[in-house]
Amino acid sequence: MPLPHFLVIGAPKAGTTALHAALQVHPALYLSQVKEPKFFLTDGPPPVRGGPGDAQTYREHVWRRADYEALFDGAPKGALLGEATPLYLYDLAAQRRVHALIPQARLIAILRDPVERAHSNWTHLWSAGLEPIGDLVRACAAEPRRVAAGWAHFWHYTGLGRYGEQLAHLLTLFPRDQVL
């Protein structure tokens, strides 16, 4: 069954959607139509509870391997397969799952100034009516409680921007020449 040759792992709100769209039109590539399948975020069914809106997001996870592989069934022969789930960089267990299943994968980590990224993330949730705190600084202060309560990664405004820790872990699993 087909598995991706490359993953766009970057950070949420750092341009992964734009890169996914640009790569989709390249004739030698085939990207999953589902932009963020989130396959490597769990070992089984995703959680069912969390912060505001998390239950809906969890229902979007493609967590069964057969369903994940089916995302690439339409690929032309010889195309390089890829998908984009930015949370794979942040979730260290996801990094290990990627390595266990596709250790030869090429990884594209898109980063953005962490303060701008956090603000964009907060704005996204605030404007969607999900973020109950109308101030980014206070929302960041609530992060430890939210993490402890099992809110989804997208609520981890400051944690998602700790790229050094995330990349350091990634490079213990993958050779540097597989990471862009």
PDB file of all heavy atoms in Angstrom, residues 23-53:
ATOM      1  N   LEU A  23       2.342  22.754  -3.962  1.00  0.00           N
ATOM      2  CA  LEU A  23       2.883  21.442  -4.316  1.00  0.00           C
ATOM      3  C   LEU A  23       1.856  20.572  -5.030  1.00  0.00           C
ATOM      4  O   LEU A  23       2.214  19.747  -5.870  1.00  0.00           O
ATOM      5  CB  LEU A  23       3.394  20.724  -3.062  1.00  0.00           C
ATOM      6  CG  LEU A  23       4.603  21.346  -2.365  1.00  0.00           C
ATOM      7  CD1 LEU A  23       4.912  20.604  -1.073  1.00  0.00           C
ATOM      8  CD2 LEU A  23       5.815  21.393  -3.281  1.00  0.00           C
ATOM      9  N   GLN A  24       0.581  20.769  -4.732  1.00  0.00           N
ATOM     10  CA  GLN A  24      -0.474  19.967  -5.360  1.00  0.00           C
ATOM     11  C   GLN A  24      -0.498  20.112  -6.880  1.00  0.00           C
ATOM     12  O   GLN A  24      -0.926  19.189  -7.567  1.00  0.00           O
ATOM     13  CB  GLN A  24      -1.849  20.363  -4.815  1.00  0.00           C
ATOM     14  CG  GLN A  24      -2.272  19.557  -3.629  1.00  0.00           C
ATOM     15  CD  GLN A  24      -3.716  19.831  -3.262  1.00  0.00           C
ATOM     16  OE1 GLN A  24      -4.158  20.968  -3.237  1.00  0.00           O
ATOM     17  NE2 GLN A  24      -4.437  18.785  -2.953  1.00  0.00           N
ATOM     18  N   VAL A  25      -0.073  21.232  -7.390  1.00  0.00           N
ATOM     19  CA  VAL A  25      -0.139  21.440  -8.843  1.00  0.00           C
ATOM     20  C   VAL A  25       1.123  20.981  -9.569  1.00  0.00           C
ATOM     21  O   VAL A  25       1.172  21.012 -10.796  1.00  0.00           O
ATOM     22  CB  VAL A  25      -0.460  22.920  -9.192  1.00  0.00           C
ATOM     23  CG1 VAL A  25      -1.811  23.325  -8.627  1.00  0.00           C
ATOM     24  CG2 VAL A  25       0.634  23.858  -8.722  1.00  0.00           C
ATOM     25  N   HIS A  26       2.119  20.544  -8.821  1.00  0.00           N
ATOM     26  CA  HIS A  26       3.352  20.059  -9.455  1.00  0.00           C
ATOM     27  C   HIS A  26       3.077  18.696 -10.096  1.00  0.00           C
ATOM     28  O   HIS A  26       2.557  17.791  -9.433  1.00  0.00           O
ATOM     29  CB  HIS A  26       4.477  19.948  -8.425  1.00  0.00           C
ATOM     30  CG  HIS A  26       5.811  19.744  -9.043  1.00  0.00           C
ATOM     31  ND1 HIS A  26       6.193  18.553  -9.621  1.00  0.00           N
ATOM     32  CD2 HIS A  26       6.864  20.578  -9.172  1.00  0.00           C
ATOM     33  CE1 HIS A  26       7.415  18.655 -10.083  1.00  0.00           C
ATOM     34  NE2 HIS A  26       7.851  19.880  -9.826  1.00  0.00           N
ATOM     35  N   PRO A  27       3.416  18.515 -11.370  1.00  0.00           N
ATOM     36  CA  PRO A  27       3.059  17.271 -12.063  1.00  0.00           C
ATOM     37  C   PRO A  27       3.765  16.012 -11.548  1.00  0.00           C
ATOM     38  O   PRO A  27       3.269  14.914 -11.756  1.00  0.00           O
ATOM     39  CB  PRO A  27       3.441  17.553 -13.518  1.00  0.00           C
ATOM     40  CG  PRO A  27       4.444  18.651 -13.452  1.00  0.00           C
ATOM     41  CD  PRO A  27       4.095  19.472 -12.242  1.00  0.00           C
ATOM     42  N   ALA A  28       4.885  16.155 -10.863  1.00  0.00           N
ATOM     43  CA  ALA A  28       5.610  14.982 -10.378  1.00  0.00           C
ATOM     44  C   ALA A  28       5.225  14.598  -8.947  1.00  0.00           C
ATOM     45  O   ALA A  28       5.741  13.626  -8.413  1.00  0.00           O
ATOM     46  CB  ALA A  28       7.117  15.228 -10.453  1.00  0.00           C
ATOM     47  N   LEU A  29       4.312  15.378  -8.355  1.00  0.00           N
ATOM     48  CA  LEU A  29       3.930  15.147  -6.965  1.00  0.00           C
ATOM     49  C   LEU A  29       2.455  14.803  -6.853  1.00  0.00           C
ATOM     50  O   LEU A  29       1.649  15.201  -7.690  1.00  0.00           O
ATOM     51  CB  LEU A  29       4.208  16.397  -6.117  1.00  0.00           C
ATOM     52  CG  LEU A  29       5.621  16.965  -6.164  1.00  0.00           C
ATOM     53  CD1 LEU A  29       5.697  18.232  -5.310  1.00  0.00           C
ATOM     54  CD2 LEU A  29       6.635  15.940  -5.706  1.00  0.00           C
ATOM     55  N   TYR A  30       2.119  14.086  -5.804  1.00  0.00           N
ATOM     56  CA  TYR A  30       0.723  13.817  -5.485  1.00  0.00           C
ATOM     57  C   TYR A  30       0.550  14.026  -3.989  1.00  0.00           C
ATOM     58  O   TYR A  30       1.145  13.312  -3.184  1.00  0.00           O
ATOM     59  CB  TYR A  30       0.324  12.391  -5.869  1.00  0.00           C
ATOM     60  CG  TYR A  30      -1.138  12.113  -5.611  1.00  0.00           C
ATOM     61  CD1 TYR A  30      -2.089  12.417  -6.573  1.00  0.00           C
ATOM     62  CD2 TYR A  30      -1.558  11.567  -4.410  1.00  0.00           C
ATOM     63  CE1 TYR A  30      -3.441  12.178  -6.352  1.00  0.00           C
ATOM     64  CE2 TYR A  30      -2.901  11.327  -4.174  1.00  0.00           C
ATOM     65  CZ  TYR A  30      -3.839  11.635  -5.142  1.00  0.00           C
ATOM     66  OH  TYR A  30      -5.163  11.405  -4.921  1.00  0.00           O
ATOM     67  N   LEU A  31      -0.231  15.033  -3.629  1.00  0.00           N
ATOM     68  CA  LEU A  31      -0.515  15.300  -2.222  1.00  0.00           C
ATOM     69  C   LEU A  31      -1.932  14.872  -1.903  1.00  0.00           C
ATOM     70  O   LEU A  31      -2.839  15.000  -2.729  1.00  0.00           O
ATOM     71  CB  LEU A  31      -0.323  16.783  -1.886  1.00  0.00           C
ATOM     72  CG  LEU A  31       1.133  17.136  -1.601  1.00  0.00           C
ATOM     73  CD1 LEU A  31       1.910  17.341  -2.861  1.00  0.00           C
ATOM     74  CD2 LEU A  31       1.237  18.298  -0.676  1.00  0.00           C
ATOM     75  N   SER A  32      -2.106  14.382  -0.691  1.00  0.00           N
ATOM     76  CA  SER A  32      -3.439  13.954  -0.273  1.00  0.00           C
ATOM     77  C   SER A  32      -4.402  15.123  -0.408  1.00  0.00           C
ATOM     78  O   SER A  32      -4.051  16.273  -0.150  1.00  0.00           O
ATOM     79  CB  SER A  32      -3.408  13.450   1.175  1.00  0.00           C
ATOM     80  OG  SER A  32      -3.063  14.475   2.070  1.00  0.00           O
ATOM     81  N   GLN A  33      -5.615  14.804  -0.835  1.00  0.00           N
ATOM     82  CA  GLN A  33      -6.640  15.841  -0.951  1.00  0.00           C
ATOM     83  C   GLN A  33      -7.013  16.376   0.429  1.00  0.00           C
ATOM     84  O   GLN A  33      -7.376  17.534   0.568  1.00  0.00           O
ATOM     85  CB  GLN A  33      -7.873  15.293  -1.664  1.00  0.00           C
ATOM     86  CG  GLN A  33      -7.606  14.885  -3.103  1.00  0.00           C
ATOM     87  CD  GLN A  33      -7.072  16.032  -3.944  1.00  0.00           C
ATOM     88  OE1 GLN A  33      -7.672  17.092  -4.015  1.00  0.00           O
ATOM     89  NE2 GLN A  33      -5.923  15.832  -4.573  1.00  0.00           N
ATOM     90  N   VAL A  34      -6.927  15.533   1.433  1.00  0.00           N
ATOM     91  CA  VAL A  34      -7.114  15.979   2.811  1.00  0.00           C
ATOM     92  C   VAL A  34      -5.818  16.649   3.221  1.00  0.00           C
ATOM     93  O   VAL A  34      -4.779  16.007   3.294  1.00  0.00           O
ATOM     94  CB  VAL A  34      -7.426  14.784   3.748  1.00  0.00           C
ATOM     95  CG1 VAL A  34      -7.506  15.230   5.200  1.00  0.00           C
ATOM     96  CG2 VAL A  34      -8.699  14.078   3.305  1.00  0.00           C
ATOM     97  N   LYS A  35      -5.865  17.961   3.495  1.00  0.00           N
ATOM     98  CA  LYS A  35      -4.629  18.687   3.770  1.00  0.00           C
ATOM     99  C   LYS A  35      -4.001  18.240   5.076  1.00  0.00           C
ATOM    100  O   LYS A  35      -2.785  18.100   5.166  1.00  0.00           O
ATOM    101  CB  LYS A  35      -4.887  20.200   3.779  1.00  0.00           C
ATOM    102  CG  LYS A  35      -3.610  21.032   3.818  1.00  0.00           C
ATOM    103  CD  LYS A  35      -3.421  21.639   5.165  1.00  0.00           C
ATOM    104  CE  LYS A  35      -2.126  22.390   5.286  1.00  0.00           C
ATOM    105  NZ  LYS A  35      -1.988  22.989   6.593  1.00  0.00           N
ATOM    106  N   GLU A  36      -4.747  18.008   6.096  1.00  0.00           N
ATOM    107  CA  GLU A  36      -4.182  17.607   7.391  1.00  0.00           C
ATOM    108  C   GLU A  36      -4.834  16.316   7.873  1.00  0.00           C
ATOM    109  O   GLU A  36      -5.724  16.348   8.719  1.00  0.00           O
ATOM    110  CB  GLU A  36      -4.374  18.711   8.427  1.00  0.00           C
ATOM    111  CG  GLU A  36      -3.596  19.967   8.120  1.00  0.00           C
ATOM    112  CD  GLU A  36      -3.701  21.026   9.215  1.00  0.00           C
ATOM    113  OE1 GLU A  36      -3.922  20.674  10.388  1.00  0.00           O
ATOM    114  OE2 GLU A  36      -3.562  22.208   8.888  1.00  0.00           O
ATOM    115  N   PRO A  37      -4.383  15.176   7.380  1.00  0.00           N
ATOM    116  CA  PRO A  37      -5.000  13.932   7.828  1.00  0.00           C
ATOM    117  C   PRO A  37      -4.714  13.596   9.296  1.00  0.00           C
ATOM    118  O   PRO A  37      -5.466  12.870   9.928  1.00  0.00           O
ATOM    119  CB  PRO A  37      -4.428  12.871   6.898  1.00  0.00           C
ATOM    120  CG  PRO A  37      -3.257  13.479   6.236  1.00  0.00           C
ATOM    121  CD  PRO A  37      -3.423  14.968   6.300  1.00  0.00           C
ATOM    122  N   LYS A  38      -3.622  14.103   9.840  1.00  0.00           N
ATOM    123  CA  LYS A  38      -3.287  13.930  11.257  1.00  0.00           C
ATOM    124  C   LYS A  38      -3.064  12.464  11.653  1.00  0.00           C
ATOM    125  O   LYS A  38      -3.173  12.101  12.817  1.00  0.00           O
ATOM    126  CB  LYS A  38      -4.356  14.571  12.150  1.00  0.00           C
ATOM    127  CG  LYS A  38      -4.594  16.040  11.869  1.00  0.00           C
ATOM    128  CD  LYS A  38      -5.750  16.568  12.731  1.00  0.00           C
ATOM    129  CE  LYS A  38      -6.084  17.987  12.413  1.00  0.00           C
ATOM    130  NZ  LYS A  38      -6.888  18.154  11.203  1.00  0.00           N
ATOM    131  N   PHE A  39      -2.722  11.633  10.687  1.00  0.00           N
ATOM    132  CA  PHE A  39      -2.592  10.190  10.922  1.00  0.00           C
ATOM    133  C   PHE A  39      -1.608   9.851  12.044  1.00  0.00           C
ATOM    134  O   PHE A  39      -1.871   8.980  12.864  1.00  0.00           O
ATOM    135  CB  PHE A  39      -2.172   9.486   9.625  1.00  0.00           C
ATOM    136  CG  PHE A  39      -1.907   8.017   9.781  1.00  0.00           C
ATOM    137  CD1 PHE A  39      -2.954   7.130   9.983  1.00  0.00           C
ATOM    138  CD2 PHE A  39      -0.613   7.514   9.730  1.00  0.00           C
ATOM    139  CE1 PHE A  39      -2.719   5.772  10.132  1.00  0.00           C
ATOM    140  CE2 PHE A  39      -0.364   6.167   9.874  1.00  0.00           C
ATOM    141  CZ  PHE A  39      -1.428   5.285  10.075  1.00  0.00           C
ATOM    142  N   PHE A  40      -0.476  10.508  12.077  1.00  0.00           N
ATOM    143  CA  PHE A  40       0.574  10.147  13.030  1.00  0.00           C
ATOM    144  C   PHE A  40       0.373  10.755  14.418  1.00  0.00           C
ATOM    145  O   PHE A  40       1.199  10.552  15.309  1.00  0.00           O
ATOM    146  CB  PHE A  40       1.944  10.538  12.472  1.00  0.00           C
ATOM    147  CG  PHE A  40       2.344   9.729  11.271  1.00  0.00           C
ATOM    148  CD1 PHE A  40       2.220  10.250   9.986  1.00  0.00           C
ATOM    149  CD2 PHE A  40       2.818   8.434  11.406  1.00  0.00           C
ATOM    150  CE1 PHE A  40       2.572   9.512   8.871  1.00  0.00           C
ATOM    151  CE2 PHE A  40       3.167   7.674  10.294  1.00  0.00           C
ATOM    152  CZ  PHE A  40       3.042   8.213   9.022  1.00  0.00           C
ATOM    153  N   LEU A  41      -0.716  11.474  14.636  1.00  0.00           N
ATOM    154  CA  LEU A  41      -0.941  12.095  15.947  1.00  0.00           C
ATOM    155  C   LEU A  41      -1.453  11.122  17.001  1.00  0.00           C
ATOM    156  O   LEU A  41      -1.407  11.426  18.190  1.00  0.00           O
ATOM    157  CB  LEU A  41      -1.909  13.282  15.830  1.00  0.00           C
ATOM    158  CG  LEU A  41      -1.374  14.483  15.048  1.00  0.00           C
ATOM    159  CD1 LEU A  41      -2.419  15.589  15.007  1.00  0.00           C
ATOM    160  CD2 LEU A  41      -0.069  15.003  15.638  1.00  0.00           C
ATOM    161  N   THR A  42      -1.939   9.960  16.584  1.00  0.00           N
ATOM    162  CA  THR A  42      -2.429   8.970  17.549  1.00  0.00           C
ATOM    163  C   THR A  42      -2.024   7.572  17.116  1.00  0.00           C
ATOM    164  O   THR A  42      -1.704   7.338  15.948  1.00  0.00           O
ATOM    165  CB  THR A  42      -3.971   9.011  17.690  1.00  0.00           C
ATOM    166  OG1 THR A  42      -4.555   8.688  16.427  1.00  0.00           O
ATOM    167  CG2 THR A  42      -4.463  10.361  18.165  1.00  0.00           C
ATOM    168  N   ASP A  43      -2.091   6.639  18.062  1.00  0.00           N
ATOM    169  CA  ASP A  43      -1.872   5.218  17.771  1.00  0.00           C
ATOM    170  C   ASP A  43      -3.184   4.500  17.520  1.00  0.00           C
ATOM    171  O   ASP A  43      -3.201   3.304  17.287  1.00  0.00           O
ATOM    172  CB  ASP A  43      -1.163   4.542  18.950  1.00  0.00           C
ATOM    173  CG  ASP A  43       0.331   4.786  18.939  1.00  0.00           C
ATOM    174  OD1 ASP A  43       0.905   4.891  17.847  1.00  0.00           O
ATOM    175  OD2 ASP A  43       0.922   4.870  20.026  1.00  0.00           O
ATOM    176  N   GLY A  44      -4.259   5.211  17.632  1.00  0.00           N
ATOM    177  CA  GLY A  44      -5.583   4.622  17.469  1.00  0.00           C
ATOM    178  C   GLY A  44      -6.578   5.749  17.335  1.00  0.00           C
ATOM    179  O   GLY A  44      -6.221   6.835  16.872  1.00  0.00           O
ATOM    180  N   PRO A  45      -7.805   5.510  17.768  1.00  0.00           N
ATOM    181  CA  PRO A  45      -8.803   6.573  17.654  1.00  0.00           C
ATOM    182  C   PRO A  45      -8.343   7.835  18.383  1.00  0.00           C
ATOM    183  O   PRO A  45      -7.712   7.754  19.438  1.00  0.00           O
ATOM    184  CB  PRO A  45     -10.038   5.980  18.330  1.00  0.00           C
ATOM    185  CG  PRO A  45      -9.834   4.503  18.306  1.00  0.00           C
ATOM    186  CD  PRO A  45      -8.346   4.292  18.365  1.00  0.00           C
ATOM    187  N   PRO A  46      -8.649   9.007  17.825  1.00  0.00           N
ATOM    188  CA  PRO A  46      -8.272  10.256  18.499  1.00  0.00           C
ATOM    189  C   PRO A  46      -9.130  10.466  19.740  1.00  0.00           C
ATOM    190  O   PRO A  46     -10.159   9.797  19.914  1.00  0.00           O
ATOM    191  CB  PRO A  46      -8.561  11.321  17.436  1.00  0.00           C
ATOM    192  CG  PRO A  46      -9.591  10.718  16.560  1.00  0.00           C
ATOM    193  CD  PRO A  46      -9.334   9.238  16.557  1.00  0.00           C
ATOM    194  N   PRO A  47      -8.718  11.382  20.599  1.00  0.00           N
ATOM    195  CA  PRO A  47      -9.537  11.689  21.779  1.00  0.00           C
ATOM    196  C   PRO A  47     -10.922  12.178  21.339  1.00  0.00           C
ATOM    197  O   PRO A  47     -11.130  12.540  20.183  1.00  0.00           O
ATOM    198  CB  PRO A  47      -8.773  12.827  22.472  1.00  0.00           C
ATOM    199  CG  PRO A  47      -7.409  12.820  21.874  1.00  0.00           C
ATOM    200  CD  PRO A  47      -7.528  12.215  20.522  1.00  0.00           C
ATOM    201  N   VAL A  48     -11.836  12.186  22.268  1.00  0.00           N
ATOM    202  CA  VAL A  48     -13.182  12.662  21.947  1.00  0.00           C
ATOM    203  C   VAL A  48     -13.511  13.956  22.672  1.00  0.00           C
ATOM    204  O   VAL A  48     -14.517  14.591  22.385  1.00  0.00           O
ATOM    205  CB  VAL A  48     -14.259  11.596  22.272  1.00  0.00           C
ATOM    206  CG1 VAL A  48     -14.090  10.395  21.354  1.00  0.00           C
ATOM    207  CG2 VAL A  48     -14.191  11.169  23.730  1.00  0.00           C
ATOM    208  N   ARG A  49     -12.650  14.358  23.609  1.00  0.00           N
ATOM    209  CA  ARG A  49     -12.910  15.570  24.383  1.00  0.00           C
ATOM    210  C   ARG A  49     -11.683  16.453  24.388  1.00  0.00           C
ATOM    211  O   ARG A  49     -10.583  16.017  24.108  1.00  0.00           O
ATOM    212  CB  ARG A  49     -13.288  15.191  25.817  1.00  0.00           C
ATOM    213  CG  ARG A  49     -14.544  14.352  25.850  1.00  0.00           C
ATOM    214  CD  ARG A  49     -14.832  13.725  27.190  1.00  0.00           C
ATOM    215  NE  ARG A  49     -14.817  14.704  28.264  1.00  0.00           N
ATOM    216  CZ  ARG A  49     -14.551  14.404  29.520  1.00  0.00           C
ATOM    217  NH1 ARG A  49     -14.283  13.173  29.855  1.00  0.00           N
ATOM    218  NH2 ARG A  49     -14.561  15.334  30.441  1.00  0.00           N
ATOM    219  N   GLY A  50     -11.881  17.702  24.725  1.00  0.00           N
ATOM    220  CA  GLY A  50     -10.785  18.661  24.807  1.00  0.00           C
ATOM    221  C   GLY A  50     -11.341  20.042  25.003  1.00  0.00           C
ATOM    222  O   GLY A  50     -12.316  20.234  25.724  1.00  0.00           O
ATOM    223  N   GLY A  51     -10.737  21.013  24.335  1.00  0.00           N
ATOM    224  CA  GLY A  51     -11.192  22.387  24.427  1.00  0.00           C
ATOM    225  C   GLY A  51     -12.334  22.659  23.459  1.00  0.00           C
ATOM    226  O   GLY A  51     -12.803  21.755  22.763  1.00  0.00           O
ATOM    227  N   PRO A  52     -12.768  23.903  23.383  1.00  0.00           N
ATOM    228  CA  PRO A  52     -13.852  24.258  22.476  1.00  0.00           C
ATOM    229  C   PRO A  52     -13.525  23.894  21.023  1.00  0.00           C
ATOM    230  O   PRO A  52     -12.471  24.246  20.511  1.00  0.00           O
ATOM    231  CB  PRO A  52     -13.972  25.783  22.635  1.00  0.00           C
ATOM    232  CG  PRO A  52     -13.387  26.071  23.981  1.00  0.00           C
ATOM    233  CD  PRO A  52     -12.304  25.047  24.183  1.00  0.00           C
ATOM    234  N   GLY A  53     -14.403  23.164  20.394  1.00  0.00           N
ATOM    235  CA  GLY A  53     -14.221  22.781  19.000  1.00  0.00           C
ATOM    236  C   GLY A  53     -13.325  21.575  18.775  1.00  0.00           C
ATOM    237  O   GLY A  53     -13.243  21.076  17.647  1.00  0.00           O
TER     238      GLY A  53
END
